[in-house]
Amino acid sequence: MSERRVVIAGATGFIGRALVTAFSDEGCEVRTIGRHAAVSWTDPVGIARLVDGAEVLLNLAGKSVNCRYTDENRDEILRSRVETTTALRQAVAAAAQPPRVWLNASTATIYRHSMDRPNTEIDGVLGSGFSVDVATSWEREFFAGELPHTRRVALRMAIVLGDGPATRMLVRLARLGLGGPQVDGWWPQHGRYRGIGAHPSGDGRAPHHDTKGGQRFSWIHIDDVVGGIRFLIQHDDISGPVNLASPHPSDNRTLMSTLRRIVGAPVGLPAYRWMLEPAMWALRTEPELVLKSRWALPGKLTAAGFRFAHPDLEEALRDSIHEVSTSGRRVAG
């Protein structure tokens, strides 16, 4: 019997590398598509050959949102998601033997800034502005057209903990002495978060919310991303948007106090927006990543019986920070 072929697009990032390792360890034939892969986005014939006959297609392609939202970066964040998804959808539609399941990355940031109740796939309320427009444009392209032989699942991922950019940024803030709660507040208006795409949403203004560090923090450990994807591949009855998030979300104040305890930071000053804006500018990222209240629950996964390996925030953070430290020592060595 030939090996199962798993095609992963955008496999060079933090999540992609973990999935390549996981499926390779299972004995799958793992093939990749990307700028630095054997098959690139400029090779539609090569993409079509890989997709035809594959059992599983996974798409994680897209420029990282861990950057400043300049006009150039905003356009590239949107383009890199929509155009790669279009290319894959065309390949699936043309395949004689299309994949039985296609899982496409999305984000839990698609939901509104939520302080009053969590969002599941059934009752979640979508937000507005740049990040939401990117997500809705991405999913709209993913679910477009008829693909009768391929089940489609949009992976609405919360912030992923592990040896990746989110954990590194949080650890850096704690070690800089900014390990207290991140507190929103007044800041001069700018257009970095204005809507984008064919149907831009919002009023163009950058929102701020008086959360006092109580903004919700939905997260998931990288091991549960991998485990959740394996689970979804096996469950033919699950399709559409799926929240990849721990069943035990936290809040920003608890997150940062837990982080300080783990890294041994004795002081954690509250980081008000007027402090965060220059700090995030220096780190070349955006305050939105820590100030937006993200509150998503894994309704479909929980109902289907998925068991999380890392449901507890402190344990997940300790494991993630250990991986970051170990990786740093390997690089230094």
Side-chain angles (χ1 to χ4, degrees):
M1 182 181 295
S2 60
E3 296 175 322
R4 289 195 307 155
R5 188 193 311 161
V6 176
V7 175
I8 304 178
T12 57
F14 163 51
I15 299 169
R17 293 193 303 271
L19 287 166
V20 168
T21 299
F23 284 110
S24 297
D25 289 347
E26 286 181 10
C28 298
E29 175 197 359
V30 179
R31 305 292 298 276
T32 61
I33 302 168
R35 287 177 301 168
H36 306 296
V39 175
S40 74
W41 293 111
T42 59
D43 181 10
V45 174
I47 292 172
R49 286 184 185 138
L50 278 191
V51 168
D52 197 349
E55 182 174 341
V56 176
L57 173 61
L58 268 159
N59 180 28
L60 306 166
K63 177 178 172 58
S64 172
V65 297
N66 187 24
C67 65
R68 295 295 286 178
Y69 293 170
T70 63
D71 286 352
E72 180 181 359
N73 284 342
R74 281 165 44 91
D75 290 344
E76 182 60 16
I77 286 169
L78 178 63
R79 186 207 64 80
S80 61
R81 285 160 172 74
V82 172
E83 290 187 6
T84 53
T85 301
T86 301
L88 293 174
R89 184 165 52 78
Q90 291 171 345
V92 172
Q97 292 181 277
R100 68 177 183 85
V101 59
W102 174 12
L103 302 103
N104 210 74
S106 183
T107 173
T109 302
I110 197 169
Y111 299 115
R112 68 187 176 105
H113 176 98
S114 183
M115 294 287 292
D116 55 341
R117 65 174 182 85
N119 296 280
T120 70
E121 303 90 341
I122 302 301
D123 61 6
V125 178
L126 304 190
S128 62
F130 170 67
S131 297
V132 173
D133 287 350
V134 168
T136 54
S137 298
W138 201 4
E139 290 193 8
R140 189 181 305 116
E141 187 62 32
F142 175 52
F143 288 116
E146 295 293 327
L147 299 176
H149 304 295
T150 300
R151 176 168 56 97
R152 285 178 278 187
V153 179
L155 305 170
R156 290 182 176 174
M157 279 183 270
I159 292 174
V160 180
L161 302 180
D163 185 12
T167 305
R168 291 177 182 275
M169 180 188 69
L170 290 168
V171 169
R172 198 174 298 128
L173 286 172
R175 287 177 173 160
L176 285 172
L178 297 177
Q182 280 102 39
V183 182
D184 206 347
W186 183 86
W187 187 257
Q189 275 296 320
H190 57 78
R192 299 195 307 276
Y193 302 162
R194 68 190 186 279
I196 196 172
H199 307 286
S201 64
D203 60 8
R205 297 171 60 82
H208 69 265
H209 305 272
D210 188 22
T211 57
K212 298 181 175 62
Q215 63 267 31
R216 305 297 294 185
F217 177 73
S218 285
W219 59 276
I220 186 168
H221 190 282
I222 183 63
D223 291 349
D224 286 322
V225 172
V226 174
I229 286 172
R230 282 173 167 155
F231 184 88
L232 291 166
I233 289 170
Q234 296 164 1
H235 284 71
D236 293 335
D237 56 330
I238 304 177
S239 62
V242 172
N243 291 348
L244 282 182
S246 165
H248 302 302
S250 183
D251 59 71
N252 179 262
R253 188 176 297 276
T254 302
L255 163 71
M256 298 310 294
S257 64
T258 305
L259 194 62
R260 290 198 310 274
R261 185 165 61 250
I262 294 171
V263 303
V267 176
L269 298 175
Y272 296 92
R273 182 180 276 274
W274 63 266
M275 302 163 67
L276 276 172
E277 287 283 355
M280 293 303 208
W281 176 85
L283 295 173
R284 307 311 300 158
T285 189
E286 286 289 341
E288 180 190 55
L289 300 179
V290 294
L291 291 177
K292 180 174 179 177
S293 186
R294 294 172 171 84
W295 196 354
L297 290 179
K300 288 186 178 180
L301 283 176
T302 300
F306 178 68
R307 299 190 65 170
F308 287 81
H310 301 277
D312 177 73
L313 177 63
E314 180 159 355
E315 185 277 331
L317 278 172
R318 286 189 182 278
D319 182 82
S320 300
I321 292 169
H322 171 75
E323 289 298 316
V324 169
S325 300
T326 302
S327 173
R329 285 198 296 271
R330 284 199 301 265
V331 171

